[in-house]
Amino acid sequence: FVFFFFFKQKTAYEMLRSLVGSEMCIRDRIRTMLKVLLFLAVFIPITYLVLYEDAGSTVGNVQRGIIAAYLVFVAHGTIIEKKYDYFGKLQWLWRGSTKLCIGYLVFLIILAFQNINDARGMMKYLDSRLGQRVTKEMHTYDDDCEFEWVNLYSNMDHYFVIHVVNWFCASLIVRDVWLLNLWSILDELLELSWEHILPHFRECWWDHMILDVLIGNTPSIFIGCFLVKAIGWKEYDWFGRKGVKGFTQWRIWHDYYRFGTVTFTLAIISINFLTGFFMINSLWVPPKTWVNIFRLVVWFILANLTFREGYHDLEVGNNSQERERNPPGEQHRWLVCAVLVCEMLISWKFRHETGNIIDAPWPLHVTLPWLSALGLIIIYYFYLRNKSTKKSRKQKANIVAKKNQ
């Protein structure tokens, strides 16, 4: 469904493009379909081999990993590298940053092909302190939930600092207070939904609401967005709030392309949030190591590039002439998908014997709200899409009728 949705999003604007000409529309559809097929052709075999096939030896697994990484590297090279005007004279820096992210992807692919012992053993080459289970005793936040100052202060550890820094940096990338605060609340909901599987997510109510959201996240978001405005950087409007009156008039509720883009972005963000915790547990990586900092740096670089691509795509929207003149970039969004697939594979394959992940069934009070929300999102998306399709057909019929008069 994710790839079908992504394909439909990439070609969603083409109904209105038919008013300009079908040749451009067909060419764009073919290009997008080929990219989706190439992605699936590369990662479906990789997923199968990673989860169900083992070469029987360390050497064989490493060889398979190197071959797979090489194929992914070549596949990504088929996407045209776009020169971004908003990077100015720093094009060289962001090209180097992209290659850093590709290097991280290559490492993940090779790691995913190893067996559980070799994968955790390989991590010790990065840091000799690794290779030990990340048990629940190493970090827990629900031992004493009495609402007292001493408990609040004791929970202001390295994770609280990361919260503050994370949301400040995220605000420089996302540049929209509304989307950032929605993302902040979504992270807390994800922790509540997965705490029965990952005990590290278990927190006191005041830790979720006061320490995380009110003290840590929200002030950092507003300070970061204020800095964006003070510096004069471009502010983003993901929900289409500017120029309209009232919450119900926001363009996200009337434009399927914007609605789909924002919801898909939040889905990708959620997966990234979860893999960040599950992967380090699966690989026996404790919280306080440089490995986690390196992953955060890579993801901040990749997020900066990807959000710029995504917002440019959203700005262009259904404007066929602008898309032809200045087409949105794609290489970093495809790179994000590839990295997330690899992180999910690693999290799932090496989940056994972690010491901190519980194989527990999903309670109904968790699954039902999420499935209901997903169903409503899908229904509303296709409602908006069908409404737009009828409107574009009517416009096309009016144009044809005027030509025949």
Side-chain angles (χ1 to χ4, degrees):
F1 170 77
V2 170
F3 292 108
F4 169 76
F5 179 81
F6 181 73
F7 172 70
K8 297 302 288 183
Q9 276 299 104
K10 288 295 297 173
T11 59
Y13 61 92
E14 290 163 1
M15 285 301 293
L16 288 181
R17 295 185 72 168
S18 63
L19 299 174
V20 179
S22 60
E23 182 180 350
M24 187 189 307
C25 170
I26 295 172
R27 185 173 67 247
D28 230 38
R29 288 179 68 95
I30 292 175
R31 288 175 180 173
T32 302
M33 185 172 62
L34 288 176
K35 290 172 185 175
V36 172
L37 291 176
L38 177 61
F39 189 93
L40 295 176
V42 171
F43 276 97
I44 287 178
I46 287 178
T47 300
Y48 176 78
L49 292 174
V50 165
L51 297 180
Y52 302 109
E53 292 289 339
D54 188 274
S57 66
T58 301
V59 174
N61 287 330
V62 171
Q63 288 176 341
R64 286 185 175 185
I66 293 174
I67 294 172
Y70 182 77
L71 291 175
V72 171
F73 181 79
V74 172
H76 185 265
T78 62
I79 303 175
I80 299 175
E81 292 193 13
K82 179 178 172 57
K83 183 177 180 180
Y84 299 97
D85 297 334
Y86 40 72
F87 288 143
K89 296 181 180 180
L90 296 178
Q91 298 285 339
W92 61 271
L93 176 62
W94 294 111
R95 284 197 299 269
S97 300
T98 301
K99 298 305 182 287
L100 174 67
C101 299
I102 294 175
Y104 175 66
L105 172 62
V106 168
F107 172 74
L108 290 179
I109 294 172
I110 296 175
L111 190 66
F113 272 86
Q114 310 312 304
N115 60 46
I116 191 169
N117 294 323
D118 288 344
R120 291 167 179 167
M122 285 178 64
M123 298 300 294
K124 298 185 71 173
Y125 289 107
L126 302 178
D127 192 327
S128 59
R129 296 173 296 175
L130 305 183
Q132 299 180 6
R133 291 183 182 181
V134 183
T135 61
K136 181 180 183 298
E137 287 70 26
M138 294 181 66
H139 47 80
T140 181
Y141 297 93
D142 64 340
D143 291 337
D144 187 358
C145 286
E146 290 294 325
F147 186 46
E148 299 176 353
W149 169 249
V150 64
N151 291 333
L152 278 170
Y153 182 76
S154 65
N155 278 8
M156 290 184 180
D157 57 3
H158 64 285
Y159 273 115
F160 178 77
V161 176
I162 290 175
H163 264 281
V164 173
V165 175
N166 173 73
W167 288 105
F168 175 77
C169 294
S171 64
L172 302 180
I173 295 171
V174 180
R175 305 181 187 182
D176 188 321
V177 170
W178 289 89
L179 181 59
L180 285 161
N181 280 287
L182 178 60
W183 175 6
S184 171
I185 295 172
L186 180 61
D187 278 0
E188 301 304 319
L189 292 175
L190 289 171
E191 288 184 353
L192 289 170
S193 301
W194 289 81
E195 64 180 8
H196 65 289
I197 292 179
L198 190 62
H200 170 71
F201 283 157
R202 295 173 184 170
E203 299 178 356
C204 303
W205 67 267
W206 46 261
D207 201 337
H208 285 294
M209 297 176 61
I210 298 177
L211 203 60
D212 287 349
V213 176
L214 295 181
I215 298 178
N217 302 356
T218 304
S220 302
I221 289 171
F222 278 97
I223 292 172
C225 289
F226 173 80
L227 183 61
V228 168
K229 188 175 183 178
I231 295 175
W233 289 353
K234 182 176 182 178
E235 297 178 79
Y236 297 161
D237 179 20
W238 292 93
F239 293 98
R241 298 177 294 107
K242 296 180 180 179
V244 297
K245 296 181 179 180
F247 175 78
T248 58
Q249 299 303 313
W250 290 2
R251 284 185 287 276
I252 190 173
W253 309 123
H254 306 280
D255 180 4
Y256 70 92
Y257 193 76
R258 186 178 292 271
F259 180 82
T261 298
V262 173
T263 52
F264 187 75
T265 300
L266 289 172
I268 293 295
I269 288 173
S270 301
I271 295 172
N272 169 259
F273 174 78
L274 292 172
T275 56
F277 286 95
F278 279 94
M279 188 172 68
I280 65 172
N281 279 276
S282 296
L283 294 174
W284 288 2
V285 179
K288 297 180 181 180
T289 63
W290 68 268
V291 175
N292 295 321
I293 302 299
F294 176 77
R295 178 185 179 272
L296 285 176
V297 170
V298 169
W299 269 108
F300 273 121
I301 293 172
L302 193 53
N304 185 39
L305 298 166
T306 304
F307 271 98
R308 285 173 177 258
E309 279 185 356
Y311 192 72
H312 180 209
D313 195 348
L314 194 62
E315 278 187 315
V316 174
N318 296 327
N319 191 327
S320 58
Q321 295 179 351
E322 181 63 21
R323 279 188 175 273
E324 184 69 12
R325 185 184 67 84
N326 188 20
E330 298 178 345
Q331 58 170 327
H332 299 106
R333 284 180 284 176
W334 285 110
L335 184 57
V336 162
C337 292
V339 172
L340 280 181
V341 168
C342 292
E343 289 191 347
M344 286 190 292
L345 288 175
I346 290 172
S347 300
W348 178 260
K349 181 178 180 180
F350 305 134
R351 69 190 185 280
H352 301 293
E353 300 178 3
T354 60
N356 196 35
I357 298 179
I358 302 172
D359 188 12
W362 282 86
L364 185 63
H365 69 272
V366 173
T367 56
L368 187 59
W370 282 107
L371 290 176
S372 300
L374 178 61
L376 290 174
I377 288 172
I378 295 173
I379 291 171
Y380 192 70
Y381 169 79
F382 281 103
Y383 162 74
L384 291 177
R385 183 175 178 83
N386 183 59
K387 185 178 178 181
S388 177
T389 301
K390 290 181 178 179
K391 183 178 179 181
S392 62
R393 287 175 178 171
K394 185 177 181 180
Q395 290 175 344
K396 186 177 180 180
N398 291 337
I399 292 174
V400 172
K402 288 181 180 180
K403 288 182 179 180
N404 293 334
Q405 287 180 353

